[in-house]
Amino acid sequence: MHNQWLAFYVSSHGFGHMTRCLAIIEEFLETTDHLIYLASGTYQNSFARFYLKRFGDRIVFKDLCTEVGLVNKQNSLQVDIPQLKQELNDFMAGWDMAVTEEVAFLSDLPVACVISDISVIGIQVGERLGVRNIGISNFTWCEQYEFLGLSETIIARFREVYAKLDLLIEYDLMLPTHDLDVPRKQVGFICRRFDSDRIADIKKKYGPSIFITCGKSANLDTIEVDNYEGTIFATSGINITATANATVVHLPVETFDTNNYLAASDIIIAKAGWGTISEALLSKRHLVLIEREGVLEDTENIEELKRRGVAVSIKESDLARIDMQAITDLIAANITRENLDAYHNAMGDIIREL
């Protein structure tokens, strides 16, 4: 695939899909002559443009609603099912037009393959172009929507699109998929590269720290942190209050290396999205996951990681007041360092498949 285009269609739901795809894109741009077409939501692409700016005109960005995903209730991590149904119906009504426009543009480029995480728009584009059509994810929306009790009409349309894949690359923690007969390849965890010098600088500047994130799409009321005297890093959408001896550092949404702040922290408190889990495991951090009732991915991820002895969990209601002494005791009783040491970056496996 010398000097050809790779077209990435990345979910416009949250930021985890984008950050893990950025790790793959960065590897391709640094080790090959390929050019990249990157389609995702405006919010996600604004971050990607900044993160990849050193690669200049080797990337073409397209701001596009590639997915609805889940829709949360206001000031909550719980899913708003009526609103989700409405947005999905509106989204599906526009599939054909969006795919037609994408195919018209990409037909003039030597596209070698389309890689979707896990956008139904991208998969349909790949099929229409007649190029290698690859999905890469830790779930499909079929399982998520079945769990939420959405109509079979919606689920069947998603399942029909996923069946067009030539290959589904399954990350570790992949949710079981039903009635999807496509070739598969299982791989481990990946994340953006850690910068050891940058991590050391963060530790020197801020001292002992914890990292709290509910995803960059979150918008929660105040989280109170008690019994902690270090630095608290918080991502956008979270309002943190803490005891007098703690320092709260809010990381702006445009902070392109949140992974380094995470790796510099002693404890990570996070929504159980795959991207944050991967960064925490690969940096060998202590991971505290927030339970969200009604979200299949989160529930399955939490139960499996607790079974492996690499994470603990708290309820969303516990965010009102986080007692760090209780968190420390919970970690000491349930997380085993040797289990964390078993995880390594699987980027090489993914690049070979692509």
Side-chain angles (χ1 to χ4, degrees):
M1 295 191 296
H2 179 69
N3 223 17
Q4 291 181 305
W5 288 80
L6 306 180
F8 281 80
Y9 285 81
V10 181
S11 174
S12 46
H13 170 70
F15 263 75
H17 299 267
M18 177 57 81
T19 55
R20 68 190 184 190
C21 283
L22 286 175
I24 299 171
I25 291 169
E26 187 176 31
E27 185 73 16
F28 268 119
L29 290 171
E30 290 188 347
T31 60
T32 74
D33 295 328
H34 300 326
L35 306 173
I36 300 293
Y37 177 81
L38 177 54
S40 190
T42 302
Y43 194 45
Q44 289 77 14
N45 268 349
S46 64
F47 180 82
R49 285 183 173 94
F50 184 80
Y51 188 84
L52 298 171
K53 64 180 180 179
R54 70 186 185 277
F55 297 106
D57 60 4
R58 292 180 63 193
I59 311 166
V60 170
F61 294 91
K62 174 65 176 292
D63 293 343
L64 177 70
C65 178
T66 59
E67 210 146 63
V68 170
L70 301 176
V71 178
N72 289 344
K73 297 176 183 177
Q74 187 174 4
N75 293 326
S76 173
L77 296 178
Q78 301 303 310
V79 178
D80 187 334
I81 293 179
Q83 185 63 31
L84 172 60
K85 291 178 181 177
Q86 181 61 55
E87 293 193 21
L88 280 173
N89 285 324
D90 293 344
F91 175 59
M92 292 187 295
W95 279 3
D96 289 344
M97 180 178 294
V99 171
T100 298
E101 291 177 356
E102 289 299 290
V103 170
F105 179 82
L106 291 177
S107 293
D108 294 330
L109 300 177
V111 176
C113 71
V114 172
I115 302 158
S116 300
D117 182 355
I118 182 64
S119 166
V120 288
I121 299 295
I123 297 169
Q124 292 175 86
V125 170
E127 192 230 0
R128 289 269 298 274
L129 288 174
V131 300
R132 193 166 182 236
N133 205 4
I134 301 173
I136 183 166
S137 188
N138 62 302
F139 65 84
T140 75
W141 288 110
C142 290
E143 312 89 67
Q144 303 266 43
Y145 294 156
E146 285 175 341
F147 187 73
L148 291 170
L150 270 60
S151 74
E152 180 56 31
T153 301
I154 292 174
I155 295 166
R157 288 199 65 187
F158 276 80
R159 187 180 293 115
E160 180 182 2
V161 173
Y162 294 138
K164 301 177 186 296
L165 287 170
D166 296 319
L167 175 66
L168 176 59
I169 298 176
E170 301 179 339
Y171 288 120
D172 196 344
L173 299 180
M174 181 73 185
L175 294 180
T177 54
H178 310 294
D179 304 320
L180 183 58
D181 185 18
V182 298
R184 302 164 186 254
K185 172 67 176 180
Q186 295 179 342
V187 298
F189 291 100
I190 68 164
C191 69
R192 293 169 291 167
R193 296 174 184 172
F194 298 111
D195 184 332
S196 58
D197 291 337
R198 175 75 172 134
I199 293 169
D201 288 342
I202 292 170
K203 288 182 175 181
K204 181 178 180 180
K205 180 176 180 179
Y206 294 103
S209 63
I210 62 175
F211 187 96
I212 302 178
T213 179
C214 294
K216 290 190 176 182
S217 59
N219 184 17
L220 297 176
D221 289 332
T222 299
I223 295 174
E224 180 181 343
V225 179
D226 289 342
N227 293 323
Y228 188 70
E229 298 184 354
T231 299
I232 303 169
F233 296 121
T235 59
S236 62
I238 306 173
N239 183 29
I240 303 286
T241 62
T243 52
N245 292 328
T247 301
V248 179
V249 176
H250 291 280
L251 301 177
V253 68
E254 61 270 18
T255 303
F256 74 93
D257 68 335
T258 52
N259 58 316
N260 288 325
Y261 285 89
L262 179 151
S265 300
D266 302 308
I267 296 173
I268 316 304
I269 301 173
K271 181 169 67 71
W274 192 93
T276 304
I277 288 172
S278 184
E279 290 178 353
L281 292 180
L282 294 178
S283 62
K284 320 301 182 188
R285 301 296 89 194
H286 289 149
L287 183 57
V288 181
L289 296 172
I290 304 164
E291 300 171 12
R292 286 198 295 169
E293 294 181 6
V295 179
L296 180 62
E297 178 192 8
D298 292 28
T299 301
E300 294 289 327
N301 285 349
I302 288 170
E303 290 307 310
E304 176 60 20
L305 293 175
K306 288 168 69 173
R307 187 190 68 79
R308 297 181 188 182
V310 294
V312 297
S313 68
I314 59 175
K315 297 185 181 301
E316 183 181 351
S317 58
D318 294 332
L319 294 176
R321 179 183 177 274
I322 300 175
D323 183 341
M324 287 308 300
Q325 183 57 57
I327 292 290
T328 300
D329 294 343
L330 187 65
I331 288 170
N334 293 280
I335 294 181
T336 304
R337 174 63 195 220
E338 289 77 11
N339 296 346
L340 287 172
D341 289 338
Y343 293 98
H344 304 283
N345 198 316
M347 181 64 71
D349 295 334
I350 292 175
I351 296 301
R352 282 189 290 273
E353 288 299 323
L354 299 178

